[in-house]
Amino acid sequence: MSLLVAKGLTKTYQMGDVEVQAIKGADFVIEPASFVAFVGPSGSGKSTLLNMIGCLDHPTSGTLAVLGTDIATLDRSAAADFRGKNIGFIFQDFNLVPVLTAYENIEYPLIMVQEWPAERRREQVMRLLKAVGMESQADKRPDQMSGGQKQRVAVARALVSNAKMVLADEPTANLDHDTAYKIINLMKKMRDEFGTTFIFSTHDPKIMSEAETIFTLEDGHVASTNHQEAAHV
Ligand code: ADP
Ligand code: MG
């Protein structure tokens, strides 16, 4: 089964008397364990699409099936439940909790949403700290980390609940180029290791070359889908 199937997806925002048609009919399919990017200029609807996939925003029309569930039909509380079980998020400004250490930031979703026994929680956090290369920084707080280190912690946090897909809206926008490549390649390594699908948005052409599938957004539609060998190593 495909992980995600969107058909005729639309999103219209009402701004006073004005309707903004952010997405005008998007069709796409995303397979499990894939590494895909939505690209397009600012305002092309990347965030709107990711927010709908992430059950943060409700489609105006169309269907959006995730693992066979049409998430367009979920009410607010069912959507929150679905999100907590299946979806991890990575943000452009990292969104770590400033008073918590790297370890505690990664552990946070397990404490908030799920009732994992302490020992299992510890093992999972340690496994992810190691996977993202931050074991030796476990006790650091965000203000003691570089941007790249913060995003590594955020990648670990997105994976800690065993999400089936991780959504990353311009995850490299606040990173220099070398660090941006490293983070994208880290996400790909996590895909290889955990089988998690990564869906990110970017408008940086150099970062696009890292994705295996690129959906180009134009005028509220997916104008083209390209499958490619990732270029950069
Ligand atoms: P991108 O992430 O590609 O820059 P967005 O999805 O943020 O694009 O925006 C797509 C379009 O929808 C833009 O015209 C934007 O102004 C509009 N838009 C996005 N969010 C809202 C909102 N909450 N209310 C009204 N218009 C919005
Ligand atoms: Mg955006």
Side-chain angles (χ1 to χ4, degrees):
M1 196 201 303
S2 295
L3 178 76
L4 208 150
V5 182
K7 286 193 183 139
L9 199 62
T10 75
K11 180 70 191 182
T12 303
Y13 292 108
Q14 195 72 41
M15 300 263 289
D17 290 344
V18 183
E19 280 193 346
V20 180
Q21 291 184 291
I23 301 293
K24 298 180 188 170
D27 298 276
F28 53 90
V29 176
I30 296 176
E31 299 303 335
S34 54
F35 197 74
V36 310
F38 286 96
V39 308
S42 181
S44 59
K46 302 183 296 295
S47 295
T48 302
L49 258 189
L50 287 188
N51 289 345
M52 288 194 283
I53 295 171
C55 304
L56 294 168
D57 208 351
H58 210 262
T60 304
S61 67
T63 60
L64 184 52
V66 180
L67 298 161
T69 301
D70 183 4
I71 57 175
T73 64
L74 299 180
D75 65 21
R76 189 179 284 267
S77 113
D81 191 49
F82 189 85
R83 191 163 62 231
K85 288 203 176 90
N86 297 295
I87 308 174
F89 293 89
I90 296 169
F91 301 92
Q92 117 176 18
D93 49 5
F94 321 122
N95 279 25
L96 300 181
V97 182
V99 296
L100 300 183
T101 63
Y103 182 101
E104 291 163 343
N105 266 284
I106 298 168
E107 185 185 35
Y108 192 73
L110 296 180
I111 293 179
M112 294 313 290
V113 190
Q114 300 183 357
E115 287 160 15
W116 290 38
E119 182 56 20
R120 183 167 172 223
R121 214 164 59 214
R122 202 188 66 81
E123 279 168 18
Q124 174 78 337
V125 175
M126 290 311 293
R127 175 168 169 238
L128 280 157
L129 268 168
K130 199 169 170 186
V132 302
M134 288 291 288
E135 312 159 82
S136 62
Q137 317 286 316
D139 296 330
K140 288 206 171 144
R141 285 194 319 272
D143 64 1
Q144 301 168 304
M145 297 177 211
S146 66
Q149 290 177 326
K150 284 185 225 180
Q151 204 57 311
R152 283 174 185 271
V153 171
V155 169
R157 180 183 56 184
L159 291 166
V160 79
S161 306
N162 297 324
K164 296 186 184 62
M165 65 175 154
V166 169
L167 306 179
D169 195 353
E170 310 224 19
T172 59
N174 290 324
L175 301 174
D176 65 67
H177 247 107
D178 277 1
T179 309
Y181 276 122
K182 285 187 184 141
I183 288 297
I184 293 285
N185 282 310
L186 172 70
M187 298 199 308
K188 200 181 278 171
K189 188 173 148 239
M190 296 298 99
R191 184 283 305 272
D192 295 344
E193 196 166 331
F194 298 101
T196 315
T197 295
F198 279 81
I199 305 173
F200 60 98
S201 80
T202 184
H203 61 243
D204 182 343
K206 298 198 185 66
I207 298 301
M208 290 168 201
S209 64
E210 298 299 295
E212 292 165 354
T213 304
I214 293 182
F215 298 109
T216 304
L217 290 179
E218 253 172 50
D219 193 31
H221 302 280
V222 177
S224 65
T225 303
N226 294 300
H227 302 282
Q228 60 180 17
E229 291 286 320
H232 193 269
V233 182

